[in-house]
Amino acid sequence: MNWANRLTVSRLGLTILFVLALNSEWRFGYTAALVLFVVAGVTDFFDGEIARRYHYVTNFGKLMDPLVDKIMMAAAFISLVPLKAIPAWAATIVVARDFLITGLRLMASTQGQVLPAEKLGKHKTSWQIVTVIFFLVLLAVRELRYADGKSDWWTRAWDQGGGALVWITVALTLYSGLRYAWRHRAIVVTDR
């Protein structure tokens, strides 16, 4: 297994630790979750760089890298629902879109086609990451006692800033998913 693939697998492990930290009773669980999520995101950048630069692109990497990314984002959105950061409907849209696009890519692969990621999908992922990190930072700030969760700035940031990020993320998620599905609709039509 090359280094790019090792980083991909390590991101899966970091995602499990992230979920445990975010849902734990540890004193600094939210701060640990923030650090783990950021480190996992950094590994995502580096595994792609290593694979391209050193020609380590493998079938394992092509399959597992986007799959682990989707697992990481789904885990983050689902884990933020009980904390009242992400509404359940928003998390459902994010997760459902990724499942549907993955299904479309699997259908394409049975027809011998590879559907690459598009720039809009990468922008969508960036907004999802920003949204998750925003809430994790606020949770960590509260946990480190820089805010009590009732102060005006913290509440405004959580409600208004977080709300705006959720709406932008959901809109991009829906738009990018529908556009991607429409562009590749022939795969569904020709599948028999």
Side-chain angles (χ1 to χ4, degrees), residues 84-85 134-135 138 142 147-166:
K84 307 282 190 237
F134 175 84
F135 284 113
L138 284 179
R142 186 176 69 189
D148 61 8
K150 296 178 183 166
S151 56
D152 287 340
W153 74 266
W154 194 93
T155 303
R156 271 196 313 277
W158 185 271
D159 292 340
Q160 295 170 5
L165 282 172
V166 167

Side-chain angles (χ1 to χ4, degrees), residues 47-98:
D47 70 8
E49 279 297 306
I50 290 169
R52 283 185 293 278
R53 183 174 294 174
Y54 298 105
H55 307 289
Y56 287 161
V57 177
T58 63
N59 288 333
F60 177 86
K62 287 180 192 175
L63 173 69
M64 292 305 292
D65 183 59
L67 184 60
V68 171
D69 290 348
K70 289 175 185 359
I71 291 169
M72 184 175 95
M73 292 313 303
F77 273 79
I78 291 167
S79 294
L80 286 169
V81 169
L83 299 173
K84 307 282 190 237
I86 306 287
W89 63 265
T92 302
I93 289 171
V94 167
V95 173
R97 183 260 187 214
D98 283 345

Side-chain angles (χ1 to χ4, degrees):
M1 182 175 285
N2 65 45
W3 277 105
N5 291 342
R6 286 182 183 140
L7 285 174
T8 298
V9 172
S10 75
R11 192 163 62 257
L12 186 58
L14 288 168
T15 299
I16 293 167
L17 293 175
F18 160 77
V19 171
L20 290 173
L22 192 58
N23 293 288
S24 72
E25 298 292 324
W26 303 339
R27 173 154 185 201
F28 297 109
Y30 296 146
T31 304
L34 170 62
V35 170
L36 289 163
F37 189 82
V38 169
V39 170
V42 170
T43 66
D44 185 28
F45 171 77
F46 280 115
D47 70 8
E49 279 297 306
I50 290 169
R52 283 185 293 278
R53 183 174 294 174
Y54 298 105
H55 307 289
Y56 287 161
V57 177
T58 63
N59 288 333
F60 177 86
K62 287 180 192 175
L63 173 69
M64 292 305 292
D65 183 59
L67 184 60
V68 171
D69 290 348
K70 289 175 185 359
I71 291 169
M72 184 175 95
M73 292 313 303
F77 273 79
I78 291 167
S79 294
L80 286 169
V81 169
L83 299 173
K84 307 282 190 237
I86 306 287
W89 63 265
T92 302
I93 289 171
V94 167
V95 173
R97 183 260 187 214
D98 283 345
F99 275 121
L100 291 172
I101 297 304
T102 299
L104 184 63
R105 286 182 173 147
L106 288 172
M107 287 177 69
S109 71
T110 64
Q111 297 173 22
Q113 299 179 44
V114 175
L115 300 183
E118 294 180 349
K119 282 188 179 182
L120 186 59
K122 293 180 185 208
H123 289 301
K124 173 266 311 174
T125 302
S126 297
W127 277 97
Q128 289 177 349
I129 291 168
V130 166
T131 301
V132 169
I133 289 176
F134 175 84
F135 284 113
L136 293 174
V137 165
L138 284 179
L139 288 166
V141 163
R142 186 176 69 189
E143 180 175 69
L144 297 171
R145 304 226 192 281
Y146 294 120
D148 61 8
K150 296 178 183 166
S151 56
D152 287 340
W153 74 266
W154 194 93
T155 303
R156 271 196 313 277
W158 185 271
D159 292 340
Q160 295 170 5
L165 282 172
V166 167
W167 279 104
I168 291 167
T169 298
V170 167
L172 271 172
T173 298
L174 279 172
Y175 178 67
S176 68
L178 291 171
R179 181 177 161 191
Y180 195 83
W182 181 255
R183 287 178 66 137
H184 300 290
R185 65 190 178 278
I187 291 165
V188 177
V189 173
T190 59
D191 185 53
R192 293 173 192 179

